[in-house]
Amino acid sequence: GDEGKGKLADVLQSDFQYSARYNGGANAGHTLVVDGKRYAFHLLPCGLIQPTVTGVIGNGVVTNLTSLFNERTPLHEGGIDTRGRLKVSDRSHLLFDFHKQVDGLLESRRAGDKLGTTKQGIGPAYASKMTRNNVRVGMLKEDWEVFERYYLSAAEAHEMMFEVEVDTKSELERIKAYRAEMLEEDMITDTVLLVNKAYNAGERILVEGANAAMLDIDYGSYPFVTSSTTTAGGVCTGLGLSPEKIDCRLGVVKAYQTRVGSGPFPTELTDDLSGGDLPRGAPGTEIGAHLQKVGGEIGVTTGRKRRCGWIDIPLLQYSHLINNYSSINITKLDVLDDLEEIKICVQYRRKSTGEVLPAGAMPSTIESLYDVEAVYESMPGWAGKGKLSECSAYDELPTEARNYLDRIEKHVGCPITWIGVGPGREQMVTKGF
């Protein structure tokens, strides 16, 4: 997560007619810098920043209407009008205020074993969906009294189960106002039909994931995960496109590793002063603090400091195994500019037995993941050999930077096509593209 998926989506979007989200909710955090203006996307597909693109919020997304309308306000103020271009699946489940209340309540009850949830209500909303005790967006097209009845039933159930007090009157008033706008703009749509018609007509659809592979509810570092399918398979279930229609899968990863919240982090370099788990002043923590500062590693959605570490090849091999990436985008390579030496975690080794895990293997339990230690290769950095932000072509990168990228390609078994060398949309070097 937090690798810069939004930037790549923005760079590619000009060749696509649709921009779609298929999972998660307002727990995503994509930041785009366009013409010097910074836009933060949480729920909306970031391709909406292109004036001719239709944005789609798929059925696999949990949609909070307050977040949706609050998020698009600065877009409209910046001259990016989304009216008529934003379509929300009638099968998407609504995320209500009481889901956020429950999320915060459950996190507070976890004492020292907090999951690091964004407290945006994502988990409780998916739980309501799976227990068949929630309301879909499509219900907003029914008579208001019908929607109100379903909403009150769900709210009452949460009040009883979690002993929370829900201000149903206030939320219903807001939803009714949002509903009027949505109906006026024809926003509520059968998006399964929409995207399949678009595909069959030869139009191109760019789908963006909300969270990292290691946050996937099935494949991630459970329980330190999100509540949806974040991997490529989620596109099929969360958007309604069949598997053979997914023509290309692009992986996005930083030139170093980051993590927001709790959980195992084998290559971590951050101590408690930087929001990390290492002892204060432990070897390498000055590098972790440097990466965090130079990389601006503060979560867009949470405002929390991101834990930082060396790039983790076993994690990338595992992610590639699940998603079968067509190519990879390495972002923030410029953040490594001032380092004399750069390390790459190339294997996991069990602390308890000394066993080296095979490529693509990932421990399934937190205990076994805490039991692994990183095996490193060291490479010379390119400190003092120029700023990568000034490079506009692959051949302009220092030899050491190109060697670093080549090494990652070899270990992961996937070509690197895009290299981010700065925050702007134009600061992207291409290789073999």
Side-chain angles (χ1 to χ4, degrees):
D2 304 302
E3 315 91 335
K5 296 182 290 292
K7 178 182 173 181
L8 179 62
D10 179 49
V11 168
L12 297 176
Q13 191 65 63
S14 59
D15 292 326
F16 292 78
Q17 290 74 48
Y18 287 81
S19 173
R21 281 278 308 274
Y22 68 91
N23 76 302
N27 58 335
H30 299 164
T31 303
L32 299 184
V33 180
V34 181
D35 297 329
K37 292 182 180 178
R38 186 176 293 268
Y39 297 98
F41 287 82
H42 302 282
L43 174 62
L44 299 178
C46 57
L48 277 170
I49 212 158
Q50 302 275 359
T52 60
V53 168
T54 298
V56 176
I57 294 178
N59 57 276
V61 177
V62 285
T63 303
N64 179 261
L65 298 184
T66 300
S67 296
L68 186 153
F69 282 92
N70 284 348
E71 189 174 322
R72 78 174 194 163
T73 296
L75 293 176
H76 288 191
E77 291 173 347
I80 302 168
D81 194 344
T82 68
R83 287 173 294 188
R85 297 194 295 120
L86 176 60
K87 303 298 180 182
V88 181
S89 172
D90 52 8
R91 289 178 171 82
S92 169
H93 277 252
L94 286 162
L95 188 156
F96 299 112
D97 287 352
F98 54 77
H99 290 130
K100 294 184 179 183
Q101 289 176 259
V102 170
D103 204 359
L105 176 67
L106 294 178
E107 184 75 345
S108 68
R109 289 177 178 174
R110 292 187 181 105
D113 298 317
K114 296 185 186 300
L115 299 181
T117 172
T118 60
K119 300 181 183 177
Q120 294 297 311
I122 307 298
Y126 277 113
S128 293
K129 172 181 177 177
M130 295 305 178
T131 56
R132 299 172 298 283
N133 185 30
N134 201 39
V135 188
R136 284 173 160 179
V137 170
M139 288 299 296
L140 290 167
K141 297 181 81 170
E142 303 295 338
D143 290 340
W144 176 249
E145 291 74 19
V146 176
F147 174 85
E148 189 174 41
R149 186 171 71 250
Y150 276 86
Y151 166 83
L152 290 172
S153 174
E156 182 180 333
H158 282 74
E159 284 183 316
M160 290 190 295
M161 286 189 292
F162 299 101
E163 298 180 346
V164 294
E165 186 174 337
V166 181
D167 186 354
T168 57
K169 181 181 178 182
S170 174
E171 184 164 34
L172 280 171
E173 288 175 353
R174 279 185 281 117
I175 292 174
K176 193 171 187 178
Y178 295 142
R179 172 180 178 264
E181 277 193 70
M182 296 176 80
L183 295 178
E184 182 180 353
E185 296 180 27
D186 194 24
M187 191 185 296
I188 303 170
T189 307
D190 181 348
T191 57
V192 176
L193 186 62
L194 176 71
V195 296
N196 278 282
K197 275 188 171 182
Y199 182 91
N200 293 334
E203 294 186 285
R204 305 185 74 196
I205 305 158
L206 185 62
V207 186
E208 60 188 68
N211 312 99
M214 287 304 291
L215 292 178
D216 187 277
I217 186 65
D218 290 303
Y219 302 113
S221 52
Y222 189 89
F224 298 101
V225 293
T226 192
S227 301
S228 64
T229 300
T230 67
T231 43
V235 177
C236 303
T237 56
L239 201 56
L241 286 169
S242 53
E244 76 278 3
K245 292 177 181 175
I246 303 175
D247 302 321
C248 180
R249 296 150 308 282
L250 306 178
V252 185
V253 63
K254 284 177 188 160
Y256 52 97
Q257 212 69 39
T258 60
R259 178 162 194 153
V260 174
S262 304
F265 190 171
T267 68
E268 181 164 26
L269 294 170
T270 40
D271 59 18
D272 64 313
L273 293 175
S274 300
D277 283 357
L278 293 184
R280 187 173 297 186
T285 52
E286 73 284 355
I287 297 174
H290 173 80
L291 295 175
Q292 188 179 85
K293 180 180 178 181
V294 177
E297 297 299 348
I298 304 294
V300 174
T301 298
T302 62
R304 292 177 294 183
K305 292 180 178 179
R306 299 186 187 116
R307 299 157 66 191
C308 298
W310 298 118
I311 196 164
D312 187 332
I313 295 297
L315 185 155
L316 298 184
Q317 291 170 332
Y318 176 65
S319 180
H320 182 38
L321 190 71
I322 294 167
N323 294 286
N324 191 27
Y325 297 122
S326 307
S327 69
I328 289 175
N329 170 203
I330 294 287
T331 66
K332 291 193 169 184
L333 187 62
D334 56 300
V335 174
L336 306 182
D337 275 357
D338 298 324
L339 301 183
E340 298 285 346
E341 179 188 39
I342 298 172
K343 292 186 178 181
I344 301 176
C345 169
V346 294
Q347 290 178 319
Y348 284 165
R349 181 170 54 214
R350 294 192 189 279
K351 301 172 187 175
S352 56
T353 65
E355 174 196 2
V356 174
L357 274 62
M362 182 61 61
S364 64
T365 67
I366 291 300
E367 286 74 18
S368 57
L369 192 51
Y370 273 124
D371 185 45
V372 302
E373 61 183 357
V375 178
Y376 290 106
E377 285 183 358
S378 293
M379 301 186 69
W382 49 93
K385 297 190 177 181
K387 297 293 184 183
L388 297 196
S389 59
E390 298 172 358
C391 298
S392 57
Y394 181 75
D395 291 342
E396 295 177 9
L397 297 176
T399 300
E400 293 80 2
R402 283 181 277 140
N403 289 342
Y404 180 63
L405 297 172
D406 289 345
R407 199 69 184 148
I408 294 170
E409 280 187 334
K410 180 178 179 180
H411 280 300
V412 179
C414 184
I416 294 171
T417 307
W418 296 273
I419 303 106
V421 294
R425 71 199 309 186
E426 74 286 350
Q427 292 178 296
M428 185 84 81
V429 171
T430 58
K431 173 175 173 279
F433 175 70

